[in-house]
Amino acid sequence: MPEKPGAWLMGTAKHRAIDLVRRRQTLERKEEEIGRAIERAHEGIDLDAAIEEEVGDDLLGLIFMACHPVLSKDARVALTLRVLGGLTTEEIARAFLVPVSTIAQRIVRAKRTLTEAHVRFELPGGQERVARLASVLEVIYLIFNEGYSATAGEDWVRPALCAEALRLGRVLAELVPSEPEVHGLVALMEIQASRLRARIGPSGEPVLLLDQDRARWDRLLIRRGLSALQRAESLGGVMGPYALQAAIAACHARAPAAADTDWSRIVALYDAVAQLVDSPVVELNRAVAVGMAFGPTAGLDLVDELVQEPSLQGYHLLWAVRGDLLRKLGRCEEARIEFERAASLTRNAVERKLLHKRASECAAEGMAG
Amino acid sequence: MDMRVLILAKEDHQSRAATPPTPQEMAEFQKFNEELVKAGVVIGDGRLYPSSQGKRLRFDGKKRTIIDGPFAETKELVAGYWLWQVRSMDEAMEWLKRAPFDAGTYEIRQIFEMEGM
């Protein structure tokens, strides 16, 4: 690294702080950029200049700024990928399947919002810091999840987004090593990413966790995930939602075969998550674990309580889970209807196909039975 | 698209692998390695014992021959490795050029992976 890594980093890579030497720019071009940045700084107040003056070499401040709560979630995600991930507007647009102009506007507007709101570069302390950090973690996990199970489009996963989120998480963990939830999030993403290869079948179809060939899991990422989880745990205190979810993911990662999964521990961990996060989706996941630990009837009882939940009505996985439990109980026709309902609700083409397939399997089982 | 690369640290002289670096060299290297970790580049690394403690197994049809180290006839021996996650070969080269080494050959090889990670 050069003598002043901080200055070098911000000078050459303001728009891709983490990006460092990525993107094959030559030294000449870097110098040009510095020149332009200085010109811009003299032209007047804009975000770039503000960053130059205020952020200095503080990457963490830049992350906090990009994930500032005055911005909408979409804006935070776009700005983070652009400013910190070094992705081009085109790449972000492609990743989220929206027109380039939409992302470009989103970024311009986000910068304007930050300027207008007079968002100062700052490293918040105390409660403010906790809240701001939570926003950063949320943005990173949103990016990861959009890559891990794309909500729309033809592909089920977009590994580039997962890789970007993982990188951001790993960088953040080194910037704030004393925050257990950062390590919790990194652990969660590392372990989930370890399954990326295994969760897509030969023709691009999703392979569900318990059906995956565990030999295809990436041992390196699992090891990294488990050590990040250990780091989170060793910092003490009550485990946060990310660390708890990572602990759940670790239960799967540690089981040599699906049948070896410690479901009662997973149920206990979901109980702990549910105490921290009031979310019907968590309840649904807990119901799945209960179904595995204590039988499909116990799981179905919980799911049936959730069926009333308004926010879950359009959530395809609710119906897919219900279908799955009904099928295990031999109630094939009811199961088929739920899988069809789930298929009609998902916006992802590959997932829809899988749900239709399961529906027709139920129909066949119903005939046979 | 991200890729993983393996950096093989090859050391020209047999003895080097067994010669511990000076504290100064070590400190410089650690500083560099830390920068890499902070940038989210390093995902694994390791240093190997000298080849005198290594063994080779040669396959010839059904025949297996064990060769004990040190592998004196080999000019460049792998002494350590790094596993990096980068965007391109160019990025890996840019990083590696900044390493505080003054000897040895470092080979960068992309890891073959299926679509995805």
Side-chain angles (χ1 to χ4, degrees):
Chain A
M1 292 297 288
E3 304 71 49
K4 288 201 256 166
W8 177 80
L9 184 126
M10 295 314 299
T12 58
K14 264 194 300 49
H15 296 292
R16 12 169 191 241
I18 293 173
D19 211 16
L20 293 182
V21 286
R22 243 162 241 149
R23 304 272 158 184
R24 60 221 157 243
Q25 69 268 51
T26 59
L27 190 63
E28 289 81 1
R29 223 178 307 151
K30 276 182 215 156
E31 281 166 357
E32 266 174 41
E33 276 183 38
I34 297 170
R36 274 203 304 276
I38 292 167
E39 276 169 30
R40 264 203 306 274
H42 286 293
E43 269 163 26
I45 310 292
D46 64 353
L47 186 76
D48 295 333
I51 288 170
E52 183 98 357
E53 284 163 20
E54 297 186 33
V55 178
D57 62 355
D58 204 319
L59 188 53
L60 184 59
L62 197 57
I63 294 177
F64 273 131
M65 194 179 236
C67 298
H68 199 282
V70 296
L71 302 171
S72 71
K73 245 180 234 177
D74 284 347
R76 271 182 255 167
V77 166
L79 199 60
T80 300
L81 286 173
R82 181 77 193 88
V83 175
L84 298 160
L87 267 66
T88 64
T89 311
E90 289 75 20
E91 285 169 324
I92 302 169
R94 213 178 313 131
F96 287 93
L97 307 172
V98 296
V100 175
S101 57
T102 307
I103 294 294
Q105 267 177 14
R106 221 173 260 174
I107 291 169
V108 169
R109 229 178 286 139
K111 288 188 177 182
R112 199 187 303 142
T113 307
L114 287 177
T115 313
E116 281 168 7
H118 300 291
V119 167
R120 311 288 294 177
F121 160 71
E122 63 201 344
L123 284 178
Q127 276 307 304
E128 168 78 358
R129 184 188 171 92
V130 174
R132 295 283 300 276
L133 193 63
S135 171
V136 174
L137 299 183
E138 185 189 20
V139 168
I140 294 176
Y141 198 45
L142 268 174
I143 294 169
F144 183 85
N145 265 324
E146 190 51 32
Y148 199 62
S149 27
T151 50
E154 296 296 322
D155 298 319
W156 197 45
V157 296
R158 296 195 206 102
L161 284 178
C162 292
E164 204 50 59
L166 249 179
R167 189 200 331 277
L168 285 167
R170 288 168 182 162
V171 168
L172 190 64
E174 297 301 320
L175 288 171
V176 285
S178 58
E179 298 286 346
E181 270 297 79
V182 177
H183 300 295
L185 174 62
V186 171
L188 177 60
M189 294 193 297
E190 300 268 15
I191 297 175
Q192 288 189 323
S194 76
R195 305 181 199 134
L196 268 170
R197 279 187 301 214
R199 65 202 290 277
I200 313 167
S203 32
E205 76 280 9
V207 181
L208 301 176
L209 177 61
L210 299 180
D211 301 329
Q212 286 168 14
D213 174 2
R214 295 183 179 219
R216 301 193 67 208
W217 286 359
D218 188 324
R219 308 315 302 184
L220 174 73
L221 292 184
I222 289 178
R223 212 165 50 235
R224 289 183 61 92
L226 294 177
S227 74
L229 179 59
Q230 208 171 29
R231 233 171 137 183
E233 286 167 348
S234 70
L235 288 166
V238 182
M239 274 170 90
Y242 289 115
L244 285 169
Q245 290 178 78
I248 293 168
C251 287
H252 295 297
R254 287 196 188 103
D260 304 322
T261 312
D262 186 349
W263 288 105
S264 358
R265 178 166 160 76
I266 293 178
V267 171
L269 288 164
Y270 270 122
D271 285 343
V273 180
Q275 290 194 346
L276 297 174
V277 190
D278 185 19
S279 153
V281 175
V282 171
E283 293 298 335
L284 182 61
N285 285 321
R286 191 174 158 267
V288 174
V290 166
M292 295 302 292
F294 310 112
T297 311
L300 189 62
D301 285 347
L302 292 175
V303 173
D304 283 344
E305 285 171 33
L306 289 170
V307 165
Q308 309 302 323
E309 180 63 43
S311 65
L312 283 184
Q313 289 305 310
Y315 189 52
H316 65 285
L317 289 180
L318 170 71
W319 310 108
V321 165
R322 189 158 194 275
D324 212 39
L325 291 163
L326 287 166
R327 185 178 176 184
K328 281 185 185 150
L329 291 166
R331 291 157 67 176
C332 300
E333 179 51 19
E334 288 167 88
R336 187 192 63 77
I337 293 168
E338 299 300 42
F339 285 129
E340 288 295 355
R341 190 183 336 208
S344 71
L345 286 169
T346 180
R347 288 194 293 135
N348 184 285
V350 181
E351 210 170 19
R352 189 177 313 123
K353 217 172 122 192
L354 178 82
L355 289 163
H356 278 309
K357 186 172 149 248
R358 286 161 83 193
S360 48
E361 282 166 7
C362 288
E365 281 166 26
M367 303 274 251
Chain B
M1 191 33 140
D2 267 54
M3 55 161 88
R4 282 183 185 172
V5 293
L6 185 66
I7 320 280
L8 296 167
K10 295 187 169 182
E11 295 186 345
D12 302 337
H13 307 292
Q14 268 302 121
S15 56
R16 254 191 87 92
T19 312
T22 65
Q24 159 96 31
E25 282 172 345
M26 209 51 214
E28 278 176 21
F29 173 75
Q30 269 165 3
K31 189 167 162 265
F32 177 64
N33 193 50
E34 221 168 87
E35 290 296 337
L36 288 171
V37 171
K38 282 186 175 160
V41 170
V42 175
I43 52 174
D45 57 11
R47 194 165 170 81
L48 309 185
Y49 280 109
S51 75
S52 55
Q53 284 165 260
K55 291 193 187 297
R56 277 178 180 169
L57 197 55
R58 189 161 285 154
F59 292 78
D60 182 11
K62 296 267 174 248
K63 212 178 111 198
R64 274 97 177 103
T65 314
I66 296 168
I67 302 145
D68 290 321
F71 311 123
E73 77 286 6
T74 311
K75 259 191 159 171
E76 290 179 337
L77 283 169
V78 175
Y81 68 91
W82 253 325
L83 193 55
W84 289 0
Q85 179 116 12
V86 289
R87 281 237 175 80
S88 64
M89 205 61 172
D90 288 346
E91 186 199 346
M93 292 295 289
E94 281 298 325
W95 276 116
L96 193 53
K97 279 190 213 156
R98 288 164 201 277
F101 304 138
D102 53 12
T105 306
Y106 291 77
E107 188 173 312
I108 309 182
R109 304 285 294 271
Q110 184 181 351
I111 292 175
F112 179 86
E113 278 168 293
M114 303 303 287
E115 181 83 358
M117 298 299 275

